[in-house]
């Protein structure tokens, strides 16, 4: 986790608490680009989460794919798919790749909508090579609540010729919000508007054992910088992050310092879910919250904050 020895000490470190995406990472591309006025950043990845595929869930989805039960024909069990994380897309990509081997009739999912919560998940879905390409919708929504509202209208139009809409398959992690199924299956909705949703857990998430040590190392290596930013992408690992910064008492769980001396470390969250977790769980208010869950959204939030100083 050592820093690049050739890095410019004048650059502002941006500690990205995520695994670096491959083959390219949009956060690295944006934050490492030279900027006018000499204000440059140094993106540093500190992975927080480790993911493992859940075999039972993968087998369940694979059986649906092999049996051609996901599609637009009346005999299909599901008429669309929902994704709100890149890990779920990775699981889906693995299954599509495995299922397509030796199958001349594959692929067969281009006649259904795939709903994606934002730009990162959408990019991951578009990277799955299909000819013709998969039909992906919802990139503009940015969060589960907005995506659910979009689905209510869009999915209804997609199957407007049917008296009953087929259910949606939602590939999820062990830890997730329930806003999408609750919204789509809300019993106060008219029966012709309601959409059944089946959640299948395809991956689990936990804090990497090395995160606390890795984060401590990066903090030490950037301690001579007058300013640095920490970008938080998930509620998972927030306690370790706050402890590493000396903000959280490990025994009492209470916020302990105002960070008013030495290196000024600022906290940015990718969206309201992580911001609200910090506020409700630790009574800690991050410095900024990105309006859009994207590299551009984070950069804009940091830039707006700096302009107010």
């Amino acid at each position: 986790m050592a820093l690049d020895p050739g890095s410019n000490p004048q650059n502002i470190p941006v500690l990205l608490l995520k695994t670096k995406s491959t083959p390219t990472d949009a956060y690295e591309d944006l934050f490492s680009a030279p900027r006018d006025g000499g204000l440059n950043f140094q993106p540093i990845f500190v992975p927080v989460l480790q993911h493992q595929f859940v075999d039972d869930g993968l087998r369940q989805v694979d059986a649906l794919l092999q049996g051609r039960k996901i599609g637009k024909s009346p005999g299909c069990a599901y008429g669309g798919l929902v994704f709100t994380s890149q890990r779920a897309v990775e699981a889906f990509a693995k299954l599509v790749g495995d299922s397509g081997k030796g199958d001349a009739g594959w692929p067969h999912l281009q006649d259904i909508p795939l709903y994606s919560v934002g730009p990162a998940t959408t990019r991951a879905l578009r990277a799955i090579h299909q000819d013709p390409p998969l039909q992906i919708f919802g990139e503009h929504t940015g969060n589960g609540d907005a995506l659910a509202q979009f689905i209510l209208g869009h999915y209804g139009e997609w199957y407007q010729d049917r008296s009953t809409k087929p259910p949606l398959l939602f590939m999820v992690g062990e830890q997730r919000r329930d806003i999408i199924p609750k919204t789509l299956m809300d019993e106060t909705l008219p029966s012709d508007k309601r959409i059944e949703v089946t959640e299948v857990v395809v991956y689990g998430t936990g804090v990497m054992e090395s995160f606390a040590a890795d984060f401590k190392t990066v903090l030490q290596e950037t301690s001579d910088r007058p300013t640095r930013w920490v970008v938080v992408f998930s509620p998972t690992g927030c306690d370790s992050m706050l402890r590493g910064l000396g903000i959280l008492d490990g025994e009492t769980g209470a916020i302990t310092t105002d960070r008013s001396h030495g290196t000024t470390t600022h906290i940015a969250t990718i969206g309201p879910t992580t911001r609200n977790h910090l506020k409700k769980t630790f009574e800690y208010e991050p410095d900024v919250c990105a309006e859009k869950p994207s590299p551009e959204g984070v950069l804009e939030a940091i830039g707006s904050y700096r302009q107010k100083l």
Side-chain angles (χ1 to χ4, degrees), residues 69-71 76-81 155 159 164-170 195-198:
K69 295 298 184 181
I70 305 174
C76 290
Y78 298 98
L81 296 166
Y155 199 62
Y159 290 101
T164 302
K165 293 182 291 296
L168 282 167
L169 184 66
F170 188 9
I195 304 170
E196 291 297 316
V197 180
T198 298

Side-chain angles (χ1 to χ4, degrees), residues 62-137:
D62 187 54
L64 292 169
L65 291 170
Q66 296 286 2
R68 301 185 181 271
K69 295 298 184 181
I70 305 174
K72 196 173 183 180
S73 64
C76 290
Y78 298 98
L81 296 166
V82 182
F83 297 91
T84 57
S85 75
Q86 294 181 63
R87 304 290 86 77
V89 176
E90 289 175 6
F92 175 67
K94 179 181 186 301
L95 292 174
V96 170
D98 290 347
S99 297
K101 294 174 181 176
D103 184 351
W106 191 269
H108 59 269
L109 298 176
Q110 282 81 356
D111 59 349
I112 63 169
L114 275 64
Y115 295 107
S116 171
V117 77
T121 305
T122 301
R123 280 194 299 270
L125 279 169
R126 286 179 178 155
I128 300 174
H129 177 70
Q130 300 280 268
D131 187 18
L134 298 168
Q135 300 198 60
I136 306 165
F137 305 93

Side-chain angles (χ1 to χ4, degrees), residues 6-213:
S7 61
N8 189 335
Q10 301 303 314
N11 292 349
I12 299 173
V14 179
L15 280 56
L16 300 159
L17 304 191
K18 67 183 288 288
T19 300
K20 181 178 176 180
S21 299
T22 57
T24 63
D25 190 287
Y27 284 89
E28 181 178 49
D29 293 344
L30 183 64
F31 280 94
S32 61
R35 325 204 94 74
D36 294 336
L39 177 63
N40 293 311
F41 297 97
Q42 178 185 3
I44 305 167
F45 292 90
V46 190
V48 178
L49 305 177
Q50 57 183 3
H51 308 281
Q52 304 88 25
F53 290 140
V54 176
D55 289 340
D56 287 346
L58 292 180
R59 281 193 292 267
Q60 185 176 342
V61 177
D62 187 54
L64 292 169
L65 291 170
Q66 296 286 2
R68 301 185 181 271
K69 295 298 184 181
I70 305 174
K72 196 173 183 180
S73 64
C76 290
Y78 298 98
L81 296 166
V82 182
F83 297 91
T84 57
S85 75
Q86 294 181 63
R87 304 290 86 77
V89 176
E90 289 175 6
F92 175 67
K94 179 181 186 301
L95 292 174
V96 170
D98 290 347
S99 297
K101 294 174 181 176
D103 184 351
W106 191 269
H108 59 269
L109 298 176
Q110 282 81 356
D111 59 349
I112 63 169
L114 275 64
Y115 295 107
S116 171
V117 77
T121 305
T122 301
R123 280 194 299 270
L125 279 169
R126 286 179 178 155
I128 300 174
H129 177 70
Q130 300 280 268
D131 187 18
L134 298 168
Q135 300 198 60
I136 306 165
F137 305 93
E139 176 181 3
H140 65 285
T141 57
N143 61 63
D145 188 20
L147 179 62
Q149 296 300 328
F150 172 75
I151 292 173
L152 282 173
H154 186 274
Y155 199 62
E157 293 181 4
W158 194 277
Y159 290 101
Q160 60 182 340
D161 59 335
R162 298 200 192 175
S163 57
T164 302
K165 293 182 291 296
L168 282 167
L169 184 66
F170 188 9
M171 298 175 67
V172 299
E174 290 175 338
Q175 301 178 21
R176 75 276 188 187
R177 299 177 66 203
D178 60 357
I179 185 66
I180 290 178
K182 285 181 67 174
T183 300
L184 299 185
M185 297 190 293
D186 189 345
E187 294 184 356
T188 65
L189 289 171
S191 59
D192 62 332
K193 300 292 185 182
R194 207 174 304 144
I195 304 170
E196 291 297 316
V197 180
T198 298
E199 293 180 287
V200 179
V201 177
V202 294
Y203 71 94
T205 304
V207 179
M208 292 188 66
E209 293 182 3
S210 64
F211 169 67

